[in-house]
Amino acid sequence: MGAFAHVGGHGCAARRFGLAALGLVRRRRIPVVVPTHAVPAWPGTPAADRGGFVRLWKAFMSARLLLALALLALQLSANALAQPVPAWVFWLTGAYAVLTALERWRATPQGPGRSFDGQWFYTAGADLLFVAVLMTQEIAAGIRYTPLLALPVLMTAILGTRTLALGTAALAALLMLGDAVIGARAGLWASTAEVAQAGLMGCGLLALAWLTNTLALRLAREQQLTARGRAEVRMQSLVNNLVIESMADGVLVVDAGCVVHAANPAAHGMLGSDLEVTPGVFRLTDHPAWVQLADLVRLTFEGQDVDGIEIILHHEDQPASQLKVRTERTPSLGVEHEARLCVMFLQDLRGMQAQLRTEKLASMGRMSAAVAHEFRNPLAAISQANALLAEELAEPAQQRLTDMIRQNTGRLAHIVDDVLDVARAPGRPTRPRAWC
């Protein structure tokens, strides 16, 4: 049903990012406004919206079937109460019931297309034609079928476009006006009063179609925004989990009862626990080595600041862990009796000290390279001066002294080259030796 397609069931930076992941850092969100015409059509809707639309379509098909069976039962009971109903009305109602049953079990909603397509004829169009034929027997049978016109109007207003909904409502209003005019000419009705009543009911159907379609569009838009928000939250959660899992600092999420609800691999390593043995949810009071952390959690929930406190966790079969602990509580959401959490950030001081030593060695290497560069020019000058002096000296004793100077400057040059080779970044080509 192409016309019934658009409304469905419708370090420091890493630590701060981890805080944002746990809701501890307030972030501004830009509201997204989706106009009415931006609600996606059938091919672009998610599977959940498509399933909701199919369920809604089947609900209307079931309602049509139940209405047909109720009409058939009503006509049978009227005939039994000495209010005869023409035989062709029974056959017409039975055929309508069979048609609605076939549509309920065999027909399927089609993709989006024109606002007026072939499927409208055997759904809303068939309903209008069926009710119009029954309206010719209202006085004879004593049964008023006019309220049944509301069903196709509601169906097109909820499942179809606004143009189709208003067109169906206008057609239903014309049917009521035509029936009223025909009845007034035959002298069966109270002339103008019945015509005015039919016109008023037609206006009511138009207003009903407009309001129902507007509400359906709004519901579809809100559901699209909700689905988009859920997708964004899910993606943000995946990114946050990835960042927290890869952080070098340990992260623990603990409640007031010292129950750990989440811990990244770095935190497990600092606690001396095995990821394969330790359960996903455990208490800080389960192990004697974690009692200090439990005390810091209690201090945090009491309102005291825990920032940069150093502790030592003594393990039984592993070396002791020297940690620096900082804690923060999740912000209040303004909900009474809400369960607040404490987030603990653990830093391994041994790792920090090793990093500090590495940085010291790196700085010493840079300083040695700078000193070696400063030695190259004086050594070159001494070597050149010694070579010029050796050309002018003839005595053997003086030649031996120049040879000693040449050999020692060569040794110093080799030392300078070795220092520069060690300090040079990997991948850079080594310079040729200056002296041999």
Side-chain angles (χ1 to χ4, degrees), residues 229-272:
R230 288 178 179 176
E232 291 178 355
V233 169
R234 191 180 300 111
M235 180 60 66
Q236 185 69 28
S237 177
L238 293 175
V239 173
N240 293 340
N241 291 336
L242 180 62
V243 172
I244 293 176
E245 290 292 321
S246 60
M247 286 178 61
D249 294 345
V251 178
L252 294 175
V253 181
V254 193
D255 61 11
C258 296
V259 177
V260 179
H261 294 272
N264 64 346
H268 279 282
M270 296 176 188
L271 294 178

Side-chain angles (χ1 to χ4, degrees), residues 10 24 56 61 81 104 129 200 251 299 307 333 374 427:
H10 309 16
L24 300 178
L56 192 60
M61 297 301 106
L81 295 175
R104 172 62 179 82
L129 180 61
L200 183 61
V251 178
L299 291 176
D307 190 4
L333 300 179
E374 293 297 328

Side-chain angles (χ1 to χ4, degrees), residues 63-280:
R64 296 174 68 239
L65 177 59
L66 292 177
L67 179 61
L69 296 176
L71 285 175
L72 189 59
L74 179 63
Q75 292 168 0
L76 290 174
S77 61
N79 194 30
L81 295 175
Q83 293 182 349
V85 178
W88 65 270
V89 175
F90 286 109
W91 290 106
L92 179 63
T93 306
Y96 177 74
V98 173
L99 177 63
T100 54
L102 291 176
E103 291 174 354
R104 172 62 179 82
W105 300 112
R106 303 295 298 176
T108 55
Q110 299 177 0
R114 300 176 301 275
S115 298
F116 184 85
D117 62 3
Q119 201 171 23
W120 181 89
F121 285 102
Y122 57 84
T123 52
D127 294 344
L128 292 176
L129 180 61
F130 173 67
V131 175
V133 174
L134 291 181
M135 287 170 61
T136 61
Q137 297 296 317
E138 284 185 345
I139 302 302
I143 303 175
R144 302 298 298 269
Y145 298 103
T146 305
L148 299 181
L149 293 172
L151 179 61
V153 173
L154 285 175
M155 183 168 61
T156 53
I158 293 178
L159 299 180
T161 61
R162 180 170 295 175
T163 303
L164 183 62
L166 294 177
T168 305
L171 185 58
L174 290 176
L175 289 176
M176 289 188 297
L177 285 174
D179 186 66
V181 171
I182 293 173
R185 287 183 179 180
L188 300 178
W189 288 9
S191 64
T192 57
E194 295 295 340
V195 175
Q197 184 178 0
L200 183 61
M201 293 178 61
C203 293
L205 286 178
L206 289 171
L208 177 65
W210 178 277
L211 292 177
T212 304
N213 185 261
T214 301
L215 292 176
L217 287 175
R218 182 177 181 85
L219 178 60
R221 184 168 61 251
E222 294 297 331
Q223 289 185 348
Q224 291 292 334
L225 291 176
T226 301
R228 183 183 303 176
R230 288 178 179 176
E232 291 178 355
V233 169
R234 191 180 300 111
M235 180 60 66
Q236 185 69 28
S237 177
L238 293 175
V239 173
N240 293 340
N241 291 336
L242 180 62
V243 172
I244 293 176
E245 290 292 321
S246 60
M247 286 178 61
D249 294 345
V251 178
L252 294 175
V253 181
V254 193
D255 61 11
C258 296
V259 177
V260 179
H261 294 272
N264 64 346
H268 279 282
M270 296 176 188
L271 294 178
S273 61
D274 192 351
L275 287 172
E276 298 180 356
V277 178
T278 305

Side-chain angles (χ1 to χ4, degrees), residues 173-413:
L174 290 176
L175 289 176
M176 289 188 297
L177 285 174
D179 186 66
V181 171
I182 293 173
R185 287 183 179 180
L188 300 178
W189 288 9
S191 64
T192 57
E194 295 295 340
V195 175
Q197 184 178 0
L200 183 61
M201 293 178 61
C203 293
L205 286 178
L206 289 171
L208 177 65
W210 178 277
L211 292 177
T212 304
N213 185 261
T214 301
L215 292 176
L217 287 175
R218 182 177 181 85
L219 178 60
R221 184 168 61 251
E222 294 297 331
Q223 289 185 348
Q224 291 292 334
L225 291 176
T226 301
R228 183 183 303 176
R230 288 178 179 176
E232 291 178 355
V233 169
R234 191 180 300 111
M235 180 60 66
Q236 185 69 28
S237 177
L238 293 175
V239 173
N240 293 340
N241 291 336
L242 180 62
V243 172
I244 293 176
E245 290 292 321
S246 60
M247 286 178 61
D249 294 345
V251 178
L252 294 175
V253 181
V254 193
D255 61 11
C258 296
V259 177
V260 179
H261 294 272
N264 64 346
H268 279 282
M270 296 176 188
L271 294 178
S273 61
D274 192 351
L275 287 172
E276 298 180 356
V277 178
T278 305
V281 178
F282 58 93
R283 294 179 178 272
L284 292 178
T285 56
D286 294 341
H287 198 283
W290 304 338
V291 175
Q292 300 179 69
L293 294 176
D295 294 337
L296 294 179
V297 170
R298 296 189 185 96
L299 291 176
T300 301
F301 281 104
E302 291 175 359
Q304 300 186 26
D305 294 332
V306 178
D307 190 4
I309 296 180
E310 297 183 5
I311 62 174
I312 299 178
L313 303 183
H314 298 279
H315 309 293
E316 296 178 356
D317 54 350
Q318 296 182 8
S321 300
Q322 188 176 0
L323 306 177
K324 185 177 181 180
V325 183
R326 184 174 64 87
T327 63
E328 291 194 27
R329 285 187 301 174
T330 56
S332 176
L333 300 179
V335 181
E336 187 177 2
H337 305 297
E338 64 173 329
R340 302 184 67 180
L341 298 174
C342 170
V343 183
M344 305 188 71
F345 298 96
L346 310 178
Q347 288 182 319
D348 191 353
L349 293 181
R350 292 182 303 176
M352 295 176 61
Q353 293 172 357
Q355 184 178 3
L356 182 61
R357 288 194 296 270
T358 302
E359 292 178 355
K360 287 183 178 179
L361 291 175
S363 62
M364 291 177 61
R366 290 191 294 270
M367 183 180 65
S368 300
V371 172
H373 274 294
E374 293 297 328
F375 280 175
R376 292 177 68 94
N377 293 333
L379 285 176
I382 294 173
S383 178
Q384 292 176 0
N386 182 64
L388 294 175
L389 185 62
E391 293 178 356
E392 298 179 358
L393 297 177
E395 296 182 3
Q398 294 176 347
Q399 289 289 338
R400 287 194 298 270
L401 291 176
T402 57
D403 289 339
M404 292 176 59
I405 295 174
R406 180 179 57 81
Q407 293 175 1
N408 285 281
T409 53
R411 291 177 60 186
L412 290 175

